[in-house]
Amino acid sequence: MVRLVVATGNPGKVTEIEEYLVGLPLELELKPEDVEVEEIGETFLANAALKACSVAMATDEWAIGDDSGLEVEVLDGAPGLYSARYGKTDAERIERLLFELGDDLHRQAQFVCALVVARPDGTIAFQAEGVCQGEILRTPRGSNGFGYDPIFYMPNHQMTFAEMAPELKHRVSHRGQAFQLLLPQMHQQFGSGL
Ligand code: ITT
């Protein structure tokens, strides 16, 4: 079986990525703790590529990288690429975002996810991007998921990401959209294992 390193230190992402990859004949491994990747790219795709390619080269295995973030319209797209650096913990990041937005009535936002799969030699094999539109609530709701999920509300589902069953979040989310594009390519490369 081919080994694939999940090139992220975020446990919430690891859980989701593992669920998307069920059914592929891959042996998933966690990123070695000593491999650090500096996120100096100017786009989500560039950072996802940095993560996948550096981890692939460091481990000599296939690797998948995910760079994602929340873009809030009235904050000119912030926190965006800096979503992870907006505070020290998920709670602090949410608190800061709610503070920055204050009572603004215009609360449109989108989550973006870029995924890159790199070969063991560090070259890019596949990449995909997904976007999901929603609104930022005034108070957190729900306990599923991770990160900004409790304040990201999808009006057509009348739920935050944190109130959704994992299967629903997987179908509609930015990461779900990106995996819908990536998975056919991965199945072609690695076979279905059936
Ligand atoms: P790695 O770089 O190690 O993958 P990270 O948490 O630093 O982990 P990013 O740089 O991509 O990842 O930052 C993404 C930020 O956006 C981070 O704070 C996440 O918690 C948040 N985020 C990404 N996807 C999310 C999702 O589906 N739901 C809620 N928050 C999400």
Side-chain angles (χ1 to χ4, degrees):
M1 246 205 279
V2 175
R3 288 212 285 257
L4 176 79
V5 185
V6 182
T8 173
N10 183 322
K13 282 190 194 175
V14 173
T15 307
E16 290 199 5
I17 291 171
E18 285 178 346
E19 286 167 2
Y20 286 111
L21 297 177
V22 166
L24 275 160
L26 294 169
E27 201 178 304
L28 300 183
E29 286 179 13
L30 293 179
K31 177 175 86 84
E33 276 181 23
D34 58 336
V35 182
E36 298 233 358
V37 182
E38 241 196 303
E39 293 179 37
I40 52 171
E42 287 178 7
T43 61
F44 291 107
L45 213 44
N47 279 335
L50 277 172
K51 295 177 198 186
C53 299
S54 2
V55 170
M57 277 194 290
T59 56
D60 209 17
E61 313 271 19
W62 286 81
I64 182 165
D66 169 317
D67 198 61
S68 36
L70 183 57
E71 298 181 331
V72 180
E73 214 169 283
V74 292
L75 301 178
D76 293 326
L81 278 182
Y82 305 99
S83 295
R85 293 166 252 181
Y86 214 47
K88 285 200 215 73
T89 61
D90 282 345
E92 273 184 32
R93 289 185 270 269
I94 287 178
E95 199 182 330
R96 172 155 176 214
L97 186 53
L98 294 180
F99 174 78
E100 303 282 348
L101 258 180
D103 281 335
D104 207 311
L105 292 177
H106 192 84
R107 306 184 77 86
Q108 261 65 31
Q110 62 179 22
F111 256 124
V112 182
C113 174
L115 296 172
V116 170
V117 176
R119 302 181 186 90
D121 66 2
T123 55
I124 294 176
F126 320 112
Q127 60 185 46
E129 221 172 350
V131 177
C132 179
Q133 310 281 343
E135 293 168 13
I136 304 300
L137 287 187
R138 284 182 166 69
T139 45
R141 268 171 43 181
S143 53
N144 295 337
F146 67 99
Y148 296 90
D149 280 352
I151 54 169
F152 187 79
Y153 179 77
M154 290 193 78
N156 48 341
H157 292 283
Q158 298 191 7
M159 274 186 252
T160 64
F161 269 178
E163 291 176 309
M164 291 183 180
E167 301 72 41
L168 179 58
K169 183 187 171 192
H170 287 179
R171 213 169 51 240
V172 299
S173 76
H174 49 314
R175 191 163 292 104
Q177 306 291 330
F179 266 108
Q180 275 164 38
L181 298 171
L182 197 74
L183 280 174
Q185 305 177 62
M186 292 186 76
H187 276 280
Q188 204 162 26
Q189 171 74 38
F190 301 110
S192 65
L194 299 175

